[in-house]
Amino acid sequence: MYSEKVMDHFTNPRNVGEIADADGVGEMGNPQCGDIMRIYVDIEGDIIKDIKFKTFGCGAAVATSSIVTEMVKGKTITEALEVSNKTVAEALGGLPPLKMHCSNLAADALHAAIKDYFAKNIKE
Amino acid sequence: MRKIYLDHSATTPVDEEVAEIIRIYYTEKYGNPSSIHSFGREAKKALEEARLRVASLIGAKPEEIIFTSGGTEADNLAILGVAGAGQSKGGHLIISAIEHHAVLETAEYLAKMGYELTILPVNAEGIVELDSVGKALRPDTILVSVMHANNEVGAIQPIEEIGRIVREHGAVFHVDAVQTVGKIPVDVEKLGVDLLTMSAHKIYGPKGVGALYIRKGVRISSLLHGGSQEKKRRSGTENTPGIIGFGKACQLAAQRMTEEAEKLKKLRDMLLNGIVERIDCVKINGPLGDLRLPNNVNVSINFVEGESLLLSLDMLGIAASSGSACTSGSLDPSHVLLAMGLSHEVAHGSLRFSLGRQNTVEDIDHVLEHLPEIVERLRAMSPLYHQAAKKK
Ligand code: FES
């Protein structure tokens, strides 16, 4: 049911964990199945220096969170904002139709983390 | 890699003896039971022997058994058949909240067609409370359908008591016994049921074969028309090899049931206790002891999600199932677990192991050895576990 790439990211997820005092944190709940994904970012200039995730969800949810961190680590904010559920799913070699919503979760959590970073910085 | 199958409530392997007899009725004794020549008569005779074997496993008469394409068809035949035959009497149906989808969705279909439907709640262990049955019955109730034991959490229902209440009222009583026939004693007289659903592939028989027991005198209309098979109650050329295989599987189940149930109960409790001892924040779903199917283990492992558990177990060759929303196809968590009052989150981390004939103590040890590591790995990834740990 899942591609090899998905299983690889599920078995060896990249960048699992938390960042203490992260510059931005984004959390998304999946309204469809009740899963939760949280992404932490550290940003220097406009580069995503570090990124970590924690996910409570299915294999696809774990794999999409893992690959999204890999896709944007070291990239600019602009590039990160271009990541969408579609590009995430493509990077994984496709997802079963029923699991497409899990990739929304990853892209949304990433964008929420960046938004959080902006919100904090504007205040300061 | 070592493979351990712990999903026998989904399906079982066909017993070698059963497979052999099926082969013979496909390749050598392939006659159509409706034909009058020797080929046909040979098949007909075997078909009737199978009917007798199936009937005797549940204490019924052979003429009360109608073969179907499986449990789903038998459930549909029972519910739609009673509705079709009893229309003039009124249109109220009662089912329990933990029925198999074949019952649930058939009843919901009738509800859309104008029938009224009452769904009986269950307690936290997944058992229907008797007084709810009496309260739900109405003068126009035509059918009550409660499963014998639940396929997800193994909860055995008080069918005999419910049967008494329903009989007093006069409604038809249907029981889906797909999970109990061949595993624990089922006697249609003792249970007081009018209709009873059975399936072959849950008891080491072939897929695509089942039966509906119809008590003599109970009227039901057919689903399939166009032939005179099964006394016109189920048209279509009989799946002779499958039915004969089903008969054989019932015969073997009758011989092995008592011994097997004892063995499975030991393995079941070993697994249940082992999980609770080795993993924290675990909840056992369903009743303990004799109210639980001998082969069912169901736990909710908090802070992790079921599909991730299944994938991780599968990578180690261990086959199980889950009531998690992520595995359901509809993205809704198990209706059974929700009916028992579990939150979505706890239902999410549910894991079912259903044991079978081939399982051994070594299989259980293997699962107990690896499950804690899997849970630990997934919890380390879970945002919920961290929060819970912080709260402590
Ligand atoms: S997170 Fe629930 S289906 Fe993917």
Side-chain angles (χ1 to χ4, degrees), chain B residues 165-186:
Chain B
I165 300 170
V166 177
R167 187 178 292 177
E168 235 166 68
H169 170 280
V172 175
F173 186 31
H174 169 244
V175 170
D176 178 332
V178 164
Q179 294 294 337
T180 50
V181 166
K183 295 199 189 95
I184 60 172
V186 174

Side-chain angles (χ1 to χ4, degrees), chain B residues 139-187:
Chain B
D140 62 344
T141 305
I142 54 170
L143 176 77
V144 178
S145 180
V146 178
M147 72 197 327
H148 194 186
N150 180 261
N151 48 312
E152 292 184 36
V153 298
I156 299 173
Q157 307 299 318
I159 295 301
E160 208 178 320
E161 291 80 356
I162 298 174
R164 224 172 281 140
I165 300 170
V166 177
R167 187 178 292 177
E168 235 166 68
H169 170 280
V172 175
F173 186 31
H174 169 244
V175 170
D176 178 332
V178 164
Q179 294 294 337
T180 50
V181 166
K183 295 199 189 95
I184 60 172
V186 174
D187 184 311

Side-chain angles (χ1 to χ4, degrees), chain B residues 178-219:
Chain B
V178 164
Q179 294 294 337
T180 50
V181 166
K183 295 199 189 95
I184 60 172
V186 174
D187 184 311
V188 288
E189 288 311 322
K190 191 162 165 272
L191 294 176
V193 309
D194 299 310
L195 304 169
L196 185 127
T197 294
M198 319 164 67
S199 167
H201 76 107
K202 312 283 189 189
I203 54 167
Y204 310 93
K207 292 169 182 63
V209 192
L212 183 67
Y213 154 79
I214 306 174
R215 177 183 295 280
K216 200 164 174 254
V218 173
R219 281 183 54 225

Side-chain angles (χ1 to χ4, degrees), chain A residues 15 19 22-24 39-53 67-83 106-107 109-115 117-118:
Chain A
N15 307 308
I19 301 177
D23 293 337
I39 287 188
Y40 302 80
V41 288
D42 264 353
I43 293 177
E44 246 180 68
D46 71 340
I47 301 287
I48 299 184
K49 271 300 234 214
D50 198 9
I51 178 162
K52 291 250 168 1
F53 82 88
I67 202 157
V68 98
T69 62
E70 207 178 56
M71 283 165 78
V72 303
K73 196 169 178 177
K75 297 278 161 59
T76 65
I77 291 178
T78 323
E79 284 169 314
L81 287 173
E82 272 162 16
V83 168
L110 169 69
H111 297 162
I114 294 173
K115 244 199 213 149
Y117 161 74
F118 281 137

Side-chain angles (χ1 to χ4, degrees), chain A residues 2 30 32-37 55-62 64 98-103 105, chain B residues 305 307 324-328 331 348:
Chain A
Y2 287 134
N30 189 336
Q32 288 212 53
C33 61
D35 297 321
I36 298 167
M37 193 178 289
T55 290
F56 167 65
C58 71
V62 171
T64 52
L98 207 66
K99 296 290 182 179
M100 283 306 289
H101 70 279
C102 316
S103 59
L105 209 57
Chain B
E305 185 281 321
E307 191 205 89
S324 161
C326 302
T327 61
S328 76
L331 295 178
H348 234 61

